[in-house]
């Protein structure tokens, strides 16, 4: 079997094998986003909740405007953490699952290099991330009128969901890199990636309270939502940072994967 055919087959097989996983993640994330977005009409200008100052870094300081509410409760809290866990869980399966089960040697016995194997698996993960973001976008547009979210344009919703896909891909790249570089089991790879994600989220939220705003720029979450896409639309520079970070993580992981003795 030619290498190109083997690579395409692996990409398609990975999508088929994980189709239920991708479907569940996409539907669950979309429904959760829709449900919480639907609460917006219950808020009025005269019922502004008292948000502790310590939480203002989590985009919760403006919950009466449509963009402010979604930026805080939906796209600033629930959805990004869900896609972070998606990236951690799915990335942990891309290399570590086969190595842990002993199937990696059999897979690599085909005319397929380690690099192509890792990249095709990662491409399937990225496809799943785009599917999740697309479902979330569809959910938002579905209730845009009934939930009084019309002040947010379709382009602004699209910008935020594009960043959401890139955030999921970033943490998927981290998990894939850890699995490829160190050969650890799925539980270890998932735990390390998820812990990194939660820590980065906390740093991004609490940094302003300790007057260390510069720390936010060290986290993916800053580039995901810091420029407020729901208010300001797409910012190519932020997307480029997330894309570049993903590329660097995958490149380092694949480089180490190619040089690691799989027998150890």
């Amino acid at each position: 079997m030619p290498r190109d055919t083997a690579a395409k087959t692996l990409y398609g097989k990975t999508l088929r094998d994980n189709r239920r996983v991708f479907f569940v993640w996409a539907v669950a994330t979309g429904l959760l986003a829709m449900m919480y977005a639907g609460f917006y009409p219950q808020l009025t200008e005269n019922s502004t909740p008292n948000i502790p100052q310590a939480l203002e870094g989590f985009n919760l300081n403006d919950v009466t405007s449509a963009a402010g509410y979604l930026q805080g409760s939906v796209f600033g809290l629930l959805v990004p953490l869900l896609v972070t866990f998606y990236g951690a869980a799915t990335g942990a399966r891309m290399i570590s699952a086969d190595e842990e089960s002993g199937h990696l040697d059999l897979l690599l016995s085909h005319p397929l290099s380690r690099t192509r194997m890792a990249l095709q698996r990662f491409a399937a993960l990225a496809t799943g991330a785009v599917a999740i973001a697309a479902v979330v976008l569809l959910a938002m547009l579905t209730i845009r009128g009934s939930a009084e979210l019309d002040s947010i344009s379709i382009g602004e919703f699209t910008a935020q969901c594009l960043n959401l896909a890139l955030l999921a891909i970033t943490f998927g790249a981290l998990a894939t890199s850890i699995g490829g570089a160190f050969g650890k089991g799925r539980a270890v790879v998932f735990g390390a990636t998820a812990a990194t994600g939660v820590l980065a989220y906390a740093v991004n939220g609490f940094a302003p309270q300790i007057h260390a705003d510069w720390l936010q720029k060290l986290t993916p979450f800053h580039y995901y939502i810091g420029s407020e896409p729901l208010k300001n639309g797409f910012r190519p520079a932020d997307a480029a940072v997330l894309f570049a970070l993903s590329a660097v993580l995958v490149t380092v992981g694949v480089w180490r994967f190619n040089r690691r003795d799989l027998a150890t």
Side-chain angles (χ1 to χ4, degrees), residues 44-208:
T44 67
E45 294 294 338
N46 298 322
S47 62
T48 305
N50 294 319
I51 303 298
Q53 186 178 4
L55 296 180
E56 291 185 359
F58 292 94
N59 302 298
L60 294 171
N61 55 324
D62 172 21
V63 296
T64 54
S65 71
Y69 172 73
L70 292 183
Q71 186 174 276
S73 62
V74 180
F75 288 100
L77 176 60
L78 301 169
V79 172
L81 287 178
L82 274 178
V83 301
T84 295
F85 293 137
Y86 160 81
T90 308
R93 294 165 57 91
M94 295 299 98
I95 296 177
S96 298
D98 286 320
E99 188 165 7
E100 192 174 39
S101 66
H103 293 158
L104 186 58
D105 288 338
L106 178 61
L107 180 63
L108 292 176
S109 67
H110 293 83
L112 183 69
S113 68
R114 295 189 192 186
T115 296
R116 286 207 162 191
M117 176 263 181
L119 292 181
Q120 291 297 315
R121 284 284 175 81
F122 180 69
L125 180 155
T127 300
V130 171
I132 291 173
V135 171
V136 172
L137 175 60
L138 179 61
M140 294 297 98
L141 297 182
T142 299
I143 64 169
R144 181 169 173 251
S146 60
E148 302 175 11
L149 304 174
D150 307 78
S151 60
I152 305 173
S153 71
I154 295 176
E156 288 165 340
F157 270 123
T158 302
Q160 185 64 83
C161 289
L162 176 58
N163 281 9
L164 183 68
L166 289 171
L167 183 70
I169 291 170
T170 298
F171 284 102
L174 176 60
T176 301
S177 180
I178 293 173
F182 301 105
K184 301 297 182 181
R186 282 177 293 179
V188 174
V189 174
F190 171 78
T193 306
T196 300
V198 172
L199 177 61
Y201 179 82
V203 168
N204 185 67
F206 287 117

